[in-house]
Amino acid sequence: MTSTHGAPPADSALSPAPPVPPVPPEEAVTPLMRGISVLRGLTDAGGAATLSDLGRATGLARSTVDRVAATLARMGYVHLDGSNAALAPRLMELGNAYLAALRLPDLLSGHADALADALDESVSLAVADGDGIRFIHQAIRRRALSLSFRIGDLLPAERTAPGPLLATEWSAQDWARWRERQLADPEDLGFPAIPRRAHDAATADFPRRVEEARLRGWALDDQLIEPGLVALSVAVRTPDGRIACVASAVSHTSRHSADSLRDSLLPRLRTAVAAMERELAIAPSPETPSGPGGPNRPSGAIGAKGASGPDALEGLMGPTGLVAWTSASKQELGGEFITSLARGLTAITAFGEGRAELTLSEVAERTGLPRATARRALITLQHLGHVTVEGRAFRLAPRVLSLGFPPLSKATLTHIARPHLTALTDRGKNSTSLAVLTDDHVQCALSVPAGRIMDVDIAAGSRVPAYATSAGRVLVASLPAERRAAWLAHVRLEALTPRTVTRPTDLEAILQRVRDDGYALVDDELEEGLRSVAVPVRDREGVVVAAVNVHMHSGRGPAAECVMDIVPELRATADSLEADLHVTGRFVHVPVS
């Protein structure tokens, strides 16, 4: 966006016609545009919709939506259940590529989080996206009256606190586009994250608020989004004076009026912004990786755990990886697989940490796309506003976050785990669960019953002693040595069945074996006739955060056979769950539930 520091053009008498969607360039890839349209439709629907509803929302034929959805499912970007589609966590790799290339969340989120803790108010970071603002980081205070905005949400500039600050850098063309949007969308229906606009006060007053923000260096939102919401913003500037992003403190009128928010929080907000600006000033320039497959490869780029399917999206880069994967997918799915859509979305994953700007040749090299294919994909993405170009350099734009990031950024571990556990239950016909450690107990966070006549019934939310369960032993065994020793010292070991281990030394030896083996099996110790097997689930830092379990009657074959048959399936499930967790947790905190 071109920076100008003059007043906004005073041509309010001009009434331009509603904007006409720009005609796609001749070289644009139509299947890629359709695929992005479906992803946007799913995003606007909150992350899930029927295929028929997507057809109505996008204007595409149902047969086209079916093919697009099948291709996105093949990439691991969408879950399909009959005629229902839902965004999958792996789609977040596209938004992650933008946020990693931007670098601001990595550099500034710690300061924003610390400010939220100090103020006990929600704090956000936002950047400009056309004539709107888009959030790139949220530090939310959890209250009954809590902020519901998500990373990636788009808001109209005139109804926010960051908007006037960002508009101080608008050009005359930017102001003209803003006025066109006011006429075309008078109720703000194009911004699904906020209520409809009830009056035009925010629009009429916006140029004045921009000038005040230019003079003061801060801006207020006094209930412009909805009654009760107030916000205070200060711009975070790069060393050359440009606005990198805007930091905002957000509260409710039950705690602050707009004036009291300014009076009490502005000094501390300015102090935090100054620290952010020092961070930007001393941050080293991003290094460009040596070539394809380098250490900064995006986490979900087209990969090769297998010849095809979502697990293939895990590490294949270079001139043959994408070709092999798309060829195998096309052979298996036939006409249902749209190669140009898969290749076009892959161009986004070429960007990331250390790769904020790439030339056409670099995009082709990193993805394995032919140069002509990469060029058409970038032209299409530029047309749709997901890529910008200056000279020979391409950059991702904030609009990439509109591809599923807002609803997926609110995903919990339980939500992420459900399809993986459901698939494991379907394959093995045994009940499965996800458990977390709570002091001396494990708590079931998710349960997927097998539906047998004699089934294991462990309800979500139930708690059982950790020492007598496979999940508990996996979770305790993963604790650091000092914490594990302290846990063993205070836990009360009671005989729940004749086979329950009750001697601390015996349990300690079992926990060491669990650490070595990477799984735990418990037979008849929690309840006679009950057998369970568990493996750990690790977050991005390698910390065990949960355990995946399989439960069955102990009479269903010898324990050794159970280990041979079930442990590999459990490990494969944990691997796929961790892959989704790692993508989701790159820029957001993932709670258990």
Side-chain angles (χ1 to χ4, degrees):
M1 189 174 294
T2 305
S3 174
T4 61
H5 297 283
D11 55 352
S12 57
L14 189 62
S15 299
V20 177
V23 177
E26 187 174 331
E27 293 179 282
V29 182
T30 300
L32 178 56
M33 292 193 292
R34 291 170 175 167
I36 286 177
S37 176
V38 168
L39 288 175
R40 290 287 301 273
L42 271 172
T43 303
D44 292 345
T50 68
L51 297 178
S52 295
D53 286 343
L54 286 173
R56 286 188 287 270
T58 60
L60 298 174
R62 172 61 191 269
S63 59
T64 300
V65 173
D66 287 349
R67 294 182 65 221
V68 167
T71 303
L72 295 173
R74 186 68 166 188
M75 300 183 75
Y77 287 171
V78 164
H79 291 306
L80 288 179
D81 181 11
S83 62
N84 298 309
L87 299 175
R90 188 160 296 180
L91 178 63
M92 291 181 74
E93 72 178 11
L94 303 181
N96 286 348
Y98 163 72
L99 293 173
L102 185 66
R103 301 177 70 211
L104 294 179
D106 280 332
L107 292 173
L108 307 183
S109 61
H111 295 284
D113 295 346
L115 179 62
D117 290 340
L119 301 180
D120 194 27
E121 301 286 1
S122 295
V123 171
S124 64
L125 301 177
V127 296
D129 185 354
D131 62 353
I133 71 145
R134 201 176 290 272
F135 293 110
I136 60 170
H137 181 73
Q138 292 280 6
I140 304 297
R141 301 297 90 181
R142 300 296 175 185
R143 298 192 180 96
L145 289 170
S146 182
L147 187 68
S148 63
F149 293 136
R150 306 156 300 184
I151 297 175
D153 272 335
L154 179 69
L155 277 61
E158 68 275 9
R159 292 177 64 182
T160 69
L165 290 162
L166 292 167
T168 62
E169 295 189 339
W170 284 6
S171 66
Q173 187 178 21
D174 296 325
W175 280 101
R177 280 196 292 263
W178 175 75
R179 289 192 168 87
E180 288 177 3
R181 195 252 298 165
Q182 304 304 308
L183 293 175
D185 185 12
E187 294 184 311
D188 291 337
L189 299 180
F191 300 89
I194 60 173
R196 293 185 180 187
R197 192 195 315 170
H199 51 77
D200 293 328
T203 299
D205 203 35
F206 187 56
R208 179 189 62 79
R209 292 176 61 220
V210 172
E211 284 310 297
E212 288 180 349
R214 190 192 313 279
L215 296 173
R216 297 170 174 172
W218 54 267
L220 277 172
D221 163 16
D222 189 358
Q223 307 180 74
L224 294 174
I225 291 177
E226 69 175 13
L229 182 68
V230 290
L232 172 70
S233 293
V234 175
V236 181
R237 298 185 180 273
T238 60
D240 63 2
R242 293 178 296 108
I243 296 178
C245 64
V246 175
S248 303
V250 185
S251 189
H252 191 270
T253 50
S254 60
R255 294 170 60 83
H256 283 287
S257 68
D259 288 341
S260 73
L261 187 71
R262 176 199 61 212
D263 294 341
S264 60
L265 302 191
L266 183 57
R268 283 185 285 181
L269 180 56
R270 278 178 161 161
T271 299
V273 165
M276 294 180 190
E277 291 176 341
R278 288 194 295 273
E279 193 79 51
L280 295 180
I282 65 175
S285 299
E287 296 180 0
T288 301
S290 57
N296 290 323
R297 176 184 56 80
S299 60
I302 293 296
K305 273 192 169 182
S308 60
D311 282 345
L313 297 172
E314 189 55 37
L316 247 177
M317 295 296 288
T320 60
L322 180 60
V323 173
W325 182 83
T326 52
S327 297
S329 298
K330 189 69 174 179
Q331 184 174 3
E332 185 170 337
L333 294 183
E336 292 299 298
F337 183 77
I338 307 173
T339 302
S340 57
L341 169 57
R343 290 179 172 178
L345 290 176
T346 300
I348 295 175
T349 68
F351 298 83
E353 184 178 355
R355 301 184 304 279
E357 292 186 353
L358 292 176
T359 64
L360 170 60
S361 296
E362 289 169 336
V363 171
E365 183 182 15
R366 285 202 53 79
T367 59
L369 292 171
R371 182 182 169 91
T373 301
R375 179 173 178 274
R376 292 190 65 200
L378 290 170
I379 287 173
T380 306
L381 293 169
Q382 181 187 2
H383 166 69
L384 296 175
H386 297 283
V387 164
T388 62
V389 61
E390 185 173 347
R392 297 176 60 246
F394 293 89
R395 300 179 67 97
L396 294 182
R399 196 162 299 175
V400 171
L401 293 175
S402 69
L403 304 180
F405 213 92
L408 289 172
S409 69
K410 290 294 188 180
T412 64
L413 178 58
T414 301
H415 174 82
I416 296 170
R418 185 176 297 279
H420 299 283
L421 265 64
T422 300
L424 178 61
T425 297
D426 290 345
R427 289 196 304 270
K429 308 305 179 186
N430 293 307
S431 297
T432 60
S433 66
L434 182 80
V436 295
L437 188 64
T438 59
D439 299 323
D440 295 346
H441 292 74
V442 288
Q443 180 170 333
C444 178
L446 171 66
S447 179
V448 181
R452 291 177 175 269
I453 294 175
M454 181 177 289
D455 205 354
V456 178
D457 183 16
I458 300 179
S462 60
R463 300 170 77 242
V464 292
Y467 67 88
T469 63
S470 60
R473 290 178 182 178
V474 161
L475 293 168
V476 173
S478 71
L479 296 174
E482 289 186 4
R483 288 185 59 194
R484 189 168 66 253
W487 188 91
L488 284 166
H490 86 266
V491 69
R492 293 180 59 188
L493 303 180
E494 299 178 355
L496 305 175
T497 75
R499 297 191 61 179
T500 306
V501 173
T502 57
R503 293 176 56 187
T505 53
D506 292 343
L507 183 58
E508 186 174 7
I510 290 172
L511 292 175
Q512 184 57 52
R513 188 161 63 248
V514 170
R515 286 175 63 85
D516 295 339
D517 295 343
Y519 73 90
L521 183 146
V522 171
D523 245 344
D524 301 320
E525 294 192 46
L526 179 67
E527 181 180 318
E528 291 190 77
L530 177 62
R531 172 183 293 162
S532 66
V533 191
V535 299
V537 175
R538 293 178 169 84
D539 64 13
R540 286 182 61 89
E541 285 68 46
V543 177
V544 174
V545 293
V548 176
N549 315 259
V550 166
H551 314 279
M552 69 189 73
H553 192 276
S554 57
R556 293 183 58 202
E561 183 178 304
C562 173
V563 170
M564 183 180 301
D565 294 341
I566 293 178
V567 169
E569 288 283 342
L570 269 171
R571 284 178 169 153
T573 297
D575 286 345
S576 59
L577 168 54
E578 287 176 351
D580 282 353
L581 180 59
H582 297 174
V583 173
T584 307
R586 174 65 177 91
F587 289 102
V588 301
H589 169 68
V590 182
V592 174
S593 60

